[in-house]
Amino acid sequence: MEIKQIDGGVTSALGFRAASVAAGIKYKGREDMALVFSDYPCVLAATFTQNVFAAAPVLYDREILKNGNPVHAVIFNTGIANAGTGLRGRETNLFMAAEMARELNVHPDEVLTGSTGVIGYQLSEEPIYEGVKKLKERLDRGPDTDRRVAMAIMTTDTVPKTAACSFEVDGKTVTVGGMSKGSGMIHPDMATMLSVTTTDAKIDQYVLQELVKESVDDSFNMISVDRDTSTNDTYIVLANGQSGVKIEKDTKSYELFREALRFVCISLAKQMAADGEGATRMMEVIVTGAKTHEDARILARSVTASNLVKAMVYGSDANSGRILDALGYAGVDFDPDLVDVTLLHEDEMMLLVQDGVVCRIDEEKATEWMKEKRVSFLCELKQGREGATAWGCDLTHDYVNINGDYRS
Amino acid sequence: MEIKQIDGGVTSALGFRAASVAAGIKYKGREDMALVFSDYPCVLAATFTQNVFAAAPVLYDREILKNGNPVHAVIFNTGIANAGTGLRGRETNLFMAAEMARELNVHPDEVLTGSTGVIGYQLSEEPIYEGVKKLKERLDRGPDTDRRVAMAIMTTDTVPKTAACSFEVDGKTVTVGGMSKGSGMIHPDMATMLSVTTTDAKIDQYVLQELVKESVDDSFNMISVDRDTSTNDTYIVLANGQSGVKIEKDTKSYELFREALRFVCISLAKQMAADGEGATRMMEVIVTGAKTHEDARILARSVTASNLVKAMVYGSDANSGRILDALGYAGVDFDPDLVDVTLLHEDEMMLLVQDGVVCRIDEEKATEWMKEKRVSFLCELKQGREGATAWGCDLTHDYVNINGDYRS
């Protein structure tokens, strides 16, 4: 039995509905509020930014996670991040949750919040007040809704990001689906910008939280667009149990659920890396032969986060010295004279560095390979058995355009 | 008595001469080898990159520093970094030192080496062999020589970087002068790309090394262009004692020498930040009120190294949320609700963030101030007495141009 990829997102799992609306928070002519709702109470697991300037919704959601009670919904707004907004920002956030809860006829503590957009602006209550009513009315299911809701939480993203899969246990189907947004200020530390995954699996909170931590470490925490960890990073998983399948440790269904969650997280993470601000291509860095998994993770991320490596991927220039440089300053101790670096391209490969020494290569062919949408480097340390993969994107003129003039 | 800034560089101190030559290492039509020489044996202090893939000259110089004997010269080449070049690279480096030593009639262990340029290319022996002869013949002194030698070690730099100052002790003059290069791959960790300071002070090796460490921490280690720590970072100080002034701890002359060394280091570091690859302006970030000096240093550097802050400086957009974000993810614990951020402009200032909350500001005036060559932010933590200053530059289209197509 295997997990099966399906076309869907946050409403693929049983009992989940979603909605989006153009509330006029900041943007004009596009939807900017979204709601994910379960008719049944959900077990909650989540991870948040480690940034000291955590946004109002992050501070609020952390409290809800801490109290451990079941929840029903997550409401999002885009345009304004509600960070750097002090007490007034925390009050507006509470207003958003409370108004949505009133409409949904649930307790305010059962509605999580998520905000994204510019830091340092206050949210107005008026558009929220109108928005929550429409969100309630428009609740719906299906792939079209999934995509539309994923679009409503975008900021500088150029495409909506959704993923879903399912697996069978004793004739019953368990589904895991999710969405995320994120394109700039992406260098997640515990979680990504904004992402929610829903599932109809029945699972205990502590088991889910443990799995979420693990999945996030190998997915969202392995992508980087610009090394800037956001104030709003939030990843939420809601499990409402409607499949009737109980996920318990040390069972086959546990392994399947783990794989399904990992599939959704990695798929969303890769979509975010590929849609990095201004990006023209995705970069994948695979590190093998490290002494520890943590070493492998740090090394892979160091390469994907390097401005010089990112600029060379933009220029399709296989300047492998920059990869060595980024491995070398990652803060991990290893023997440089053992390291191989290989450029991967479909079924072919080209050795760029052998035993720590840069090779003479077919530059034309390397440049051709590096013009593809996805550029993959394999870094073999040959000093242990651990590996990790990180994803990033190139550094382009459009990144500078987007961020030199974001607020205007 | 105070230190006095003078027009000069590596030959300002007594007994030092320098030379440069177009040896044809890689570039055409420009000088690409340089020599700094003292007729008298010098006490040596130095700091080097922490990168695991340290270049051949770094590995070599470290050994010389370790054996502790006096030295006479430093020879530089630009165009090829001699990093990622394995055993053959180490042999060529030794060849460069030995040939120069033979010409200068000193021992090979008395000649340090420094290389900068592209990683992963082998140096040819032929141009070095010819170059060292001419370097010996051309040894000279004076501000013109200082500038010319500083130009010969440049890569993507657009201006040569030199600094010098002097002070008097009992009617005798002590001079400290130096040069450096560095524009990309700048995020020094213990030292900068390539820099040498000469002085005619008489000083014990351990006292000098201690002072060098301290000066470097507050100067070169506080600048960032792209967060990429180079494989070749090297900072060398040569002291030949020809002023006849002995610098001993706990004396007035020690304090003056410390100030002079610090002046030269900070001046060179700021010149490097201002000349960052593609930069149109320099950014200065002053952190005060931190609990420890280390906290202040980490926070100041986190802001100057943030791509999002750098892009906003390019766009002259006072988006202070990004400064909060970069302070928040620096890994330092502090109370966000106490933080003020101020934009400084000559004798005026504008509060951007008060007690952790982003202020409404005169955007037009802020943009005008941020169009100056130097943009300064003051971050007041108000939770301790320690401070630090970091320097960086903006992230521009030209940075992407330079690094998307460096090797061709």
Side-chain angles (χ1 to χ4, degrees), chain B residues 306-322:
Chain B
S306 157
N307 274 357
L308 288 168
V309 173
K310 288 156 63 69
M312 111 195 176
V313 170
Y314 179 49
S316 302
D317 180 19
N319 189 348
S320 55
R322 292 189 181 166

Side-chain angles (χ1 to χ4, degrees), chain B residues 17-237:
Chain B
R17 288 182 291 158
S20 54
V21 65
I25 297 285
K26 178 163 179 286
Y27 303 126
K28 302 285 162 218
R30 58 156 283 190
E31 300 197 326
D32 56 2
M33 284 187 82
L35 172 66
V36 177
F37 177 66
S38 166
D39 293 305
Y40 310 92
C42 300
V43 165
L44 166 71
T47 60
F48 303 100
T49 183
Q50 300 295 297
N51 198 305
V52 174
F53 281 99
V58 169
L59 299 173
Y60 171 80
D61 290 353
R62 272 193 198 137
E63 287 304 308
I64 293 184
L65 181 64
K66 209 191 292 173
N67 76 33
N69 297 329
V71 298
H72 270 281
V74 192
I75 178 170
F76 297 101
N77 77 274
T78 180
I80 290 177
N82 202 353
T85 48
L87 185 62
R88 195 175 136 204
R90 294 200 273 281
E91 283 170 359
T92 318
N93 180 73
L94 204 59
F95 174 82
M96 185 159 86
E99 287 297 306
M100 193 71 252
R102 198 161 54 85
E103 287 295 326
L104 295 169
N105 207 16
V106 300
H107 193 273
D109 281 6
E110 296 173 329
V111 179
L112 298 155
T113 58
S115 297
T116 177
V118 63
I119 298 171
Y121 283 59
Q122 297 289 350
L123 281 166
S124 306
E125 297 194 350
E126 187 62 23
I128 294 171
Y129 182 79
E130 297 298 331
V132 296
K133 287 184 204 303
K134 291 184 188 145
L135 286 173
K136 166 69 191 316
E137 287 161 17
R138 295 185 185 178
L139 281 169
D140 204 354
R141 298 193 66 188
D144 287 345
T145 299
D146 292 339
R147 261 186 295 278
R148 190 162 166 171
V149 170
M151 283 183 77
I153 61 169
M154 299 186 338
T155 51
T156 52
D157 307 60
T158 66
V159 291
K161 292 146 191 94
T162 62
C165 65
S166 64
F167 60 91
E168 311 243 322
V169 179
D170 301 334
K172 291 176 187 163
T173 303
V174 179
T175 303
V176 181
M179 66 175 177
S180 67
K181 65 80 51 184
S183 183
M185 209 176 260
I186 296 289
H187 187 75
D189 180 16
M190 285 306 292
T192 182
M193 197 62 182
L194 277 189
S195 185
V196 59
T197 296
T198 56
T199 178
D200 43 26
K202 196 169 164 59
I203 187 165
D204 290 333
Q205 206 276 334
Y206 78 95
V207 180
L208 185 60
Q209 185 69 32
E210 203 176 273
L211 281 171
V212 163
K213 167 88 178 67
E214 184 189 300
S215 270
V216 164
D217 274 348
D218 286 340
S219 58
F220 301 122
N221 282 0
M222 291 306 283
I223 64 172
S224 183
V225 169
D226 47 19
R227 245 182 189 158
D228 283 286
T229 305
S230 157
T231 49
N232 289 52
D233 289 349
T234 298
Y235 176 57
I236 291 166
V237 181

Side-chain angles (χ1 to χ4, degrees), chain B residues 307-364:
Chain B
N307 274 357
L308 288 168
V309 173
K310 288 156 63 69
M312 111 195 176
V313 170
Y314 179 49
S316 302
D317 180 19
N319 189 348
S320 55
R322 292 189 181 166
I323 296 174
L324 295 187
D325 187 62
L327 292 170
Y329 66 64
V332 170
D333 188 39
F334 61 90
D335 181 351
D337 294 334
L338 294 179
V339 176
D340 287 358
V341 178
T342 305
L343 176 62
L344 305 177
H345 179 255
E346 290 160 16
D347 293 340
E348 297 180 278
M349 50 183 69
M350 186 188 296
L351 201 60
L352 304 179
V353 175
Q354 186 166 28
D355 298 328
V357 179
V358 175
C359 310
R360 290 288 72 83
I361 58 167
D362 181 342
E363 298 276 358
E364 255 179 65

Side-chain angles (χ1 to χ4, degrees), chain A residues 51-53 84 120 227-229 231 306-308 315 317 322 324-325 328-329 358 363 397 401 403-404 406-407, chain B residues 51-53 84 227-229 231 306-308 315 317 322 324-325 328-329 358 360 363 397 401 403-404 406-407:
Chain A
N51 198 305
V52 173
F53 281 98
R227 248 181 187 157
D228 284 286
T229 305
T231 48
S306 157
N307 274 357
L308 287 169
D317 179 18
R322 292 187 182 167
L324 296 188
D325 187 62
Y329 64 64
V358 176
E363 297 277 356
H397 289 115
N401 286 337
N403 289 302
Y406 174 56
R407 296 187 311 164
Chain B
N51 198 305
V52 174
F53 281 99
R227 245 182 189 158
D228 283 286
T229 305
T231 49
S306 157
N307 274 357
L308 288 168
D317 180 19
R322 292 189 181 166
L324 295 187
D325 187 62
Y329 66 64
V358 175
R360 290 288 72 83
E363 298 276 358
H397 288 116
N401 286 337
N403 289 302
Y406 173 56
R407 295 188 311 164

Side-chain angles (χ1 to χ4, degrees), chain B residues 280-281 313-317 345 364-375:
Chain B
T280 65
R281 49 186 67 96
V313 170
Y314 179 49
S316 302
D317 180 19
H345 179 255
E364 255 179 65
K365 195 197 243 184
T367 295
E368 197 183 302
W369 288 8
M370 287 179 68
K371 290 206 159 129
E372 301 284 334
K373 276 285 164 208
R374 170 181 171 154
V375 175

